[in-house]
Structures are given as structure tokens and as C-alpha cells.
Amino acid sequence: MFGIDSTILAFIVLAGFSAGAVAYAFMFNTIETEKNAGKRLETVKRADTDRSVVKASRDRIAEATKRRKNVQDSLKDLDAKQKAKDLNVKKPPLKVQLRQAGLATTVERFYLYSLVCGAVVTAAVFILGAPLLAVGGAFIACTFGLPRWFVSFKRSRRVKAFLEEFPNALDIIVRAVKSGLPLNDGIRLIANESPEPVKTEFRRIVESQQVGLSIPEATLRMTETMPCPEAGFFGIVIQIQSQAGGNLSEALGNLSRVLRDRKKMKAKVQALSMEAKASAAIIGALPFIIAFLVYLSSPNYIMPLFTTSTGHLILGISGVWMSIGIFVMRKMMNFEV
């Protein structure tokens, strides 16, 4: 009975194993398919994760590229505008020159003053008994040359005074921004407290804001009344900071340091060129000194230059050549920093 039961039990076990083997044989493809599907699902999940990481990285790179492109486009636009303004800075119209010189004079009144100046000087030269050629030259020089030279002199002196005080004004704006004040208040502070001509230039910025212009646009217009690269640098810094963002106080502090370094470099160049300027002054004054000494020692020897037509021609040619030499020496001694 026990043997029969063991045989039946063994048969049952073998039958179960056989049924399981047959079932596994029939279900093998299904199990393998499920395993492959699970592997593919895991691969897809990892790929999605990697794709998300790659996409985020691409988005960051695209954002940085877009920001860099915006800055480059802004710089190109500013450079194009600056080149267009450089023409007016180098050779501005007379009306603009009068504004840059700080003269509250209209163009018509300037021409009237020039004519009066030419007439007065010409009358004085004629009364002193000068020849007609000298009278005509005095009229042309004092009508068209001397007034414009005066405007150019006032313009250069105003720019020099502006550059002396401009870095200090930038330092005040930097301290105002660091203390928490907005840029508008810093500019108003300069417009009320700084000495001329910085006060007038920043007051124009405040007035431009009151008529609807933004601060970057108003600062970019500073070069119209202050013809110097430093004013253009200030406008470009404000424009870039308004479009690209960043630390305004740090940018203005760097600009102030650059302007002070430029000032030191100009002073160094001027000191190094003083020897050449002294030599040029001696060479330019030498003909007049020699002519005066010859007149004191032998007046009859040199007077034909002033009393004869041939002498007048020689003086005219000599004056032209001497003017060319002085112009060349001036170009050789003046350095742009």
C-alpha cells in the first residue's frame, strides 16, 4: 500500500513537473516578451531622463547664446550710432559748435559779431598805414578765422573742465547707487551739486527724462553737447546695463577708473612731448626774432621786405611755408589717447 502510494505520489509529482514544463514551454515567449518590454520601458525612461537633462542643458546654452547675441547686437547698434555721431563730433555745424562751447548765441548773431570784429580790426590796420594786401588779409582773418578760433578755444576749454570733474561725478553716482538710491536720484544729485560744465550736462539728462526720454537715450545724447569720447563711454555703459543687466555700481566704478587712467596717460604723453613743443616754439619764433634783431641793427637792410612789392611777395611765400611747417610740427606733437 505504501509502495502504491509512493508510486502514485511520484507519478503525480512527475505529472506536475511535466505540466509545468509544458506550460513554461508554451509561456516562454510570453515571459520573454514581458521581460523585453520591461527592459524597453526602463530604457525609454532613462532616455526620457537623459533627454530632459540634455534639453535643460540646451535651453541654458540657448539662453546664454541669445543673451550674448542681444549684447552683440546692442554693441553693433551703438557702434553704428557712435560712428554716425563721430562725424558731427569731428566736424559739427556751427550751431552745434556754439552749444558745445557753452555760448548762448545764435548763428545769426555770431555772424554779426564776426563782421563787426573784422570791420574794427580792418579799420585799425588801415589807420596804421598797412598796405592794402595786409588790410584785406586782416579782414578775412578777423571775420572768418578769429571768431571761429575763439569758439574752438572755448569748446576745448569746456571739454577740459568737464573731464576734470567727470570722474568725481561718476564716483558720487556709484556711492549713491551702493547706498540704495536709484540712478535717477544720483543723476539729479550731480545736476544740482556738481560744478560746471558737468552740472549743465547732467541737467540736460534730467530735462530729457522730463520730456519722455529714457536714461540710456538721454545719456547717449550727451556727446551732442560734450564732444569727447568719455561722454560716449558713459552713455554706452548705461545702455548696455539697461539691456543686459548687471551691477551698475561696478560698471560705473570701472568706467571712473578707466577715465582716471586715461587722464594720467594724457598727462604722461604731454610731459613727454614738452621737449618737442619747446623746440617747435623756438623754431617758429626764430624768424621773427631774427627779423627784429636785423631791424634794430640794420633797418635799411630789411625794410625793402615791407616797402616793395617783391618784398611783400617774399613775405607771403615765407608765411605760407612757415604755416605749413608749423602745421606739420603740430600734427607730429599731438597724440590722441
Side-chain angles (χ1 to χ4, degrees):
M1 186 70 180
F2 177 76
I4 296 173
D5 292 339
S6 299
T7 302
I8 294 172
L9 183 61
F11 178 78
I12 292 172
V13 171
L14 291 175
F17 276 111
S18 299
V22 171
Y24 181 77
F26 283 107
M27 297 295 293
F28 178 77
N29 292 332
T30 303
I31 295 172
E32 287 295 323
T33 302
E34 290 179 355
K35 288 183 178 180
N36 292 333
K39 291 180 179 180
R40 287 196 297 270
L41 181 60
E42 189 67 24
T43 303
V44 170
K45 289 181 179 179
R46 287 198 301 268
D48 290 338
T49 303
D50 295 339
R51 192 178 296 111
S52 300
V53 174
V54 172
K55 184 178 179 182
S57 178
R58 287 178 179 176
D59 291 340
R60 288 195 297 269
I61 295 174
E63 183 67 23
T65 304
K66 183 179 179 181
R67 184 175 179 181
R68 190 181 302 112
K69 187 176 183 301
N70 290 333
V71 173
Q72 291 176 352
D73 293 339
S74 300
L75 289 174
K76 289 180 180 179
D77 294 339
L78 292 174
D79 185 57
K81 292 179 181 179
Q82 191 65 30
K83 287 181 179 179
K85 290 180 179 179
D86 285 342
L87 297 176
N88 289 332
V89 172
K90 293 180 179 178
K91 295 182 179 180
L94 180 59
K95 183 178 180 180
V96 177
Q97 291 185 31
L98 294 174
R99 289 185 61 194
Q100 292 174 351
L103 299 175
T105 305
T106 62
V107 177
E108 294 79 7
R109 186 172 295 179
F110 174 78
Y111 284 133
L112 180 60
Y113 292 159
S114 301
L115 185 61
V116 171
C117 177
V120 171
V121 175
T122 302
V125 172
F126 180 76
I127 293 172
L128 292 176
L132 294 179
L133 184 62
V135 173
F139 177 77
I140 294 174
C142 295
T143 303
F144 301 101
L146 185 60
R148 289 181 178 270
W149 175 85
F150 176 75
V151 172
S152 178
F153 171 75
K154 292 283 290 183
R155 184 168 171 251
S156 300
R157 192 170 69 173
R158 187 169 182 267
V159 171
K160 185 177 180 180
F162 177 83
L163 296 179
E164 288 289 334
E165 188 61 29
F166 188 46
N168 298 330
L170 291 180
D171 291 339
I172 293 174
I173 294 177
V174 169
R175 288 193 289 269
V177 172
K178 285 184 177 180
S179 64
L181 293 175
L183 180 60
N184 294 341
D185 292 344
I187 292 177
R188 288 192 180 92
L189 181 63
I190 301 300
N192 294 327
E193 302 296 336
S194 290
E196 296 289 349
V198 176
K199 180 177 182 179
T200 301
E201 295 301 324
F202 278 83
R203 185 176 296 169
R204 286 195 177 102
I205 296 177
V206 175
E207 292 173 353
S208 299
Q209 289 181 262
Q210 292 175 354
V211 298
L213 290 179
S214 62
I215 294 181
E217 293 175 348
T219 53
L220 284 175
R221 289 191 174 188
M222 185 183 290
T223 54
E224 297 178 1
T225 54
M226 184 52 61
C228 61
E230 287 78 0
F233 295 160
F234 177 65
I236 290 173
V237 168
I238 298 298
Q239 180 77 8
I240 293 177
Q241 193 276 335
S242 65
Q243 294 184 0
N247 192 338
L248 178 60
S249 61
E250 182 180 358
L252 292 179
N254 293 334
L255 177 60
S256 176
R257 185 169 60 255
V258 169
L259 296 184
R260 294 183 189 278
D261 291 340
R262 282 172 60 87
K263 182 180 177 181
K264 292 179 182 178
M265 182 61 68
K266 287 181 179 179
K268 185 176 181 180
V269 170
Q270 186 177 4
L272 293 175
S273 62
M274 283 304 296
E275 182 179 357
K277 291 180 179 179
S279 300
I282 293 172
I283 293 173
L286 194 60
F288 300 99
I289 296 174
I290 292 176
F292 180 70
L293 294 176
V294 171
Y295 175 76
L296 293 179
S297 60
S298 303
N300 295 329
Y301 179 78
I302 199 172
M303 283 307 295
L305 286 175
F306 303 100
T307 58
T308 62
S309 58
T310 305
H312 295 164
L313 179 62
I314 293 173
L315 287 176
I317 296 174
S318 301
V320 171
W321 280 107
M322 188 172 177
S323 300
I324 294 174
I326 292 174
F327 177 77
V328 172
M329 287 189 294
R330 184 175 181 274
K331 284 293 184 182
M332 293 174 63
M333 292 182 299
N334 288 336
F335 302 97
E336 292 292 336
V337 180

